[in-house]
């Protein structure tokens, strides 16, 4: 495919999702993990290292609040105080302690959801943002579609039981990867304690996620439990430049499940630099004052794969046999594309290193 000349490449690197099929995942822990469904995924490129029943639709309890907090923290009026809806906070289950007449901010409510797992916080935020619980559920489902969560449906912002409220381990990992891109979300869910203000009074909340204390490198994310859903847990952990997301649904021994799955994931995955077959070279020019110009592959590109999977990476160059003058320094001449077992996982642009004008006519 010929590339349009004159297009100046503005982005440094474009990373394409590497969502490896669960059929290729080796589930060596299938008999040692209590969860009905689980998945471990590298956050930046979507590489899956372990999975079981990851596409099975199951209730996810209060891990629902990952979506609710994700939406709340995107609002423009994040730090604006408002009075909570009195009906919204009258909800069963875990609470951050909101009372009728209390004033809060959406930021404080996000803290109440992610640390104290407050159903009252989730409902109050939902009504503030969308005007009603049902309206907010529609926002949740629209966002799920945008994120590619094909097997999820939300009925409420808190995760209370409903036959039509469900997700999958895979979808919850996709959601969490998106949520962690928000610095505020990442900061809140990684905190063991956080101080909020309710009606001007400071209150310290403790995080229900004890994995923050017992697993080195844990940076979140959210616990959940109902009798119907069982114990649900979404965690994230970072070691060096690799961040893993782990999701377990209906897991009686979730804390140990996550320690085993994360340990195994970090043993398998490494971040490698994709190396083009050549980084600097000449390309042919027709009608220019020079027959060639120097070109180069821009930047570096890294991907997270297992050692075995690295052997299956191939690359394809998209370049023209020659280019017509004029050619300008910085002009995009083509690209090198990287593939894993036929699936494109990354690309790098090839740029002109120098300019080449028209050849002067003979006098």
């Amino acid at each position: 495919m010929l590339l349009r000349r004159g297009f100046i490449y503005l982005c440094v690197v474009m990373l394409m999702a590497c969502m490896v099929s669960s059929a290729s995942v080796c589930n060596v822990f299938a008999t040692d993990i209590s969860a009905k469904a689980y998945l471990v995924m590298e956050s930046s490129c979507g590489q899956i290292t372990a999975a079981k029943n990851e596409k099975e639709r199951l209730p996810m309890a209060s891990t629902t609040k990952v979506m609710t907090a994700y939406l709340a923290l995107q609002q423009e009026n994040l730090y604006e105080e408002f009075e909570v809806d009195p009906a919204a906070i009258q909800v069963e289950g875990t609470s951050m302690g909101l009372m009728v007449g209390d004033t809060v901010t959406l930021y404080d409510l996000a803290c109440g959801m992610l640390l104290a797992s407050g159903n009252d916080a989730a409902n109050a935020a939902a009504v503030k943002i969308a005007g009603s619980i049902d309206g907010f559920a529609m926002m949740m489902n629209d966002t799920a579609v945008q994120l590619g969560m094909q097997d999820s449906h939300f009925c409420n912002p808190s995760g209370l039981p409903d036959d039509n409220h469900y997700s999958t381990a895979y979808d919850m990992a996709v959601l969490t990867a998106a949520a962690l891109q928000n610095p505020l979300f990442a900061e809140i869910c990684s905190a063991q304690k956080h101080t909020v203000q309710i009606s001007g009074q400071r209150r310290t909340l403790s995080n229900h996620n004890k994995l923050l204390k017992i697993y080195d490198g844990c940076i979140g994310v959210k616990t959940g439990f109902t009798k119907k859903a069982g114990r649900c847990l979404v965690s994230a952990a970072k070691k060096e430049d690799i961040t893993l997301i782990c999701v377990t649904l209906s897991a009686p021994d979730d804390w140990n499940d996550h320690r085993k799955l994360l340990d195994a994931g970090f043993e398998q995955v490494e971040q490698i630099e994709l190396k083009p077959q050549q980084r600097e070279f000449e390309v042919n020019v027709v009608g220019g004052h020079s027959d060639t110009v120097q070109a180069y592959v821009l930047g570096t590109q890294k991907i997270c794969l297992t050692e075995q999977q690295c052997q299956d990476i191939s690359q394809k160059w998209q370049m023209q046999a020659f280019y017509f003058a004029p050619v300008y320094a910085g002009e995009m001449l083509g690209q090198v594309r990287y593939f894993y077992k036929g699936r494109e996982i990354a690309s790098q642009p090839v740029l002109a290193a120098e300019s080449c004008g028209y050849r002067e006519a003979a006098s």
Side-chain angles (χ1 to χ4, degrees):
M1 182 180 67
L2 298 180
L3 297 171
R4 292 183 179 179
R5 300 190 308 111
F7 177 78
I8 305 301
Y9 192 78
L10 299 178
C11 301
V12 176
V13 173
M14 180 180 73
L15 179 62
M16 301 188 71
C18 170
M19 307 304 287
V20 179
S21 160
S22 62
S24 67
V25 177
C26 180
N27 292 316
V28 295
F29 303 99
T31 60
D32 196 28
I33 300 298
S34 73
K36 184 175 183 179
Y38 64 77
L39 179 136
V40 182
M41 184 180 83
E42 199 283 326
S43 179
S44 65
C45 65
Q47 168 64 29
I48 298 172
T49 66
K52 175 187 174 183
N53 299 329
E54 72 277 15
K55 294 293 184 74
E56 183 175 348
R57 295 177 175 182
L58 294 168
M60 62 291 199
S62 281
T63 61
T64 295
K65 297 186 181 86
V66 174
M67 174 66 86
T68 308
Y70 174 61
L71 290 174
L73 291 170
Q74 295 180 36
Q75 305 305 306
E76 294 182 357
N77 55 343
L78 194 57
Y79 301 102
E80 177 185 298
E81 281 192 273
F82 65 95
E83 185 174 323
V84 298
D85 182 84
I89 62 173
Q90 303 300 319
V91 57
E92 62 180 301
T94 49
S95 168
M96 71 176 291
L98 295 176
M99 305 291 289
V100 174
D102 277 340
T103 56
V104 291
T105 66
L106 284 174
Y107 174 83
D108 287 333
L109 291 179
C111 296
M113 293 178 230
L114 293 175
L115 275 76
S117 197
N119 292 343
D120 53 352
N123 276 11
V127 172
K128 171 62 177 177
I129 294 168
S132 68
I133 299 297
D134 289 343
F136 189 77
M138 292 179 62
M139 289 182 61
M140 299 171 82
N141 290 317
D142 288 344
T143 303
V145 171
Q146 293 169 14
L147 293 175
M149 300 169 65
Q150 298 181 356
D151 293 292
S152 297
H153 188 266
F154 297 89
C155 294
N156 61 71
S158 63
L160 287 175
D162 188 299
D163 288 343
N164 291 316
H165 190 93
Y166 56 80
S167 188
T168 67
Y170 177 88
D171 281 1
M172 291 304 296
V174 170
L175 168 62
T176 301
L180 287 172
Q181 296 302 306
N182 184 316
L184 288 177
F185 184 99
E187 177 187 5
I188 294 169
C189 75
S190 64
Q192 294 188 27
K193 293 182 181 295
H194 201 94
T195 300
V196 299
Q197 287 202 40
I198 301 176
S199 297
Q201 300 296 313
R202 295 168 64 86
R203 185 178 301 176
T204 299
L205 305 176
S206 295
N207 201 319
H208 289 187
N209 183 9
K210 74 175 186 180
L211 208 63
L212 291 166
K213 296 181 180 179
I214 65 176
Y215 191 83
D216 185 32
C218 182
I219 57 172
V221 175
K222 187 70 191 75
T223 60
F225 173 78
T226 64
K227 288 183 179 180
K228 180 179 180 179
R231 295 182 63 85
C232 301
L233 180 61
V234 178
S235 72
K238 184 174 182 178
K239 294 186 178 180
E240 297 180 350
D241 292 327
I242 297 174
T243 298
L244 295 182
I245 294 169
C246 181
V247 180
T248 54
L249 300 177
S250 186
D253 195 18
D254 54 359
W255 305 121
N256 286 324
D257 284 355
H258 279 245
R259 287 194 288 191
K260 294 172 186 176
L261 289 167
L262 288 170
D263 282 346
F266 283 117
E267 287 179 5
Q268 293 180 64
V269 174
E270 62 178 323
Q271 191 174 63
I272 63 163
E273 180 180 335
L274 298 175
K275 297 182 179 179
Q277 293 170 347
Q278 51 185 341
R279 188 166 287 278
E280 296 181 357
F281 48 93
E282 291 183 340
V283 296
N284 296 320
V285 177
V286 174
H289 62 67
S290 174
D291 292 333
T292 62
V293 294
Q294 287 290 322
Y296 66 99
V297 177
L298 177 65
T300 59
Q301 182 67 286
K302 294 183 178 181
I303 198 80
C304 293
L305 293 173
T306 64
E307 183 176 355
Q308 181 179 357
Q309 290 165 341
C310 293
Q311 308 304 315
D312 294 316
I313 295 177
S314 61
Q315 53 186 273
K316 178 180 179 181
W317 288 71
Q318 285 189 324
M319 300 287 295
Q320 297 174 212
F322 56 86
Y323 297 84
F324 289 103
V327 173
Y328 300 99
E331 180 178 342
M332 182 174 174
L333 302 177
Q335 62 178 334
V336 53
R337 301 164 64 195
Y338 301 93
F339 294 83
Y340 170 74
K341 290 187 174 181
R343 182 191 298 272
E344 186 168 356
I345 57 174
S347 65
Q348 288 178 275
V350 176
L351 305 186
E354 56 187 345
S355 298
C356 179
Y358 292 114
R359 179 182 296 133
E360 294 182 4
S363 56

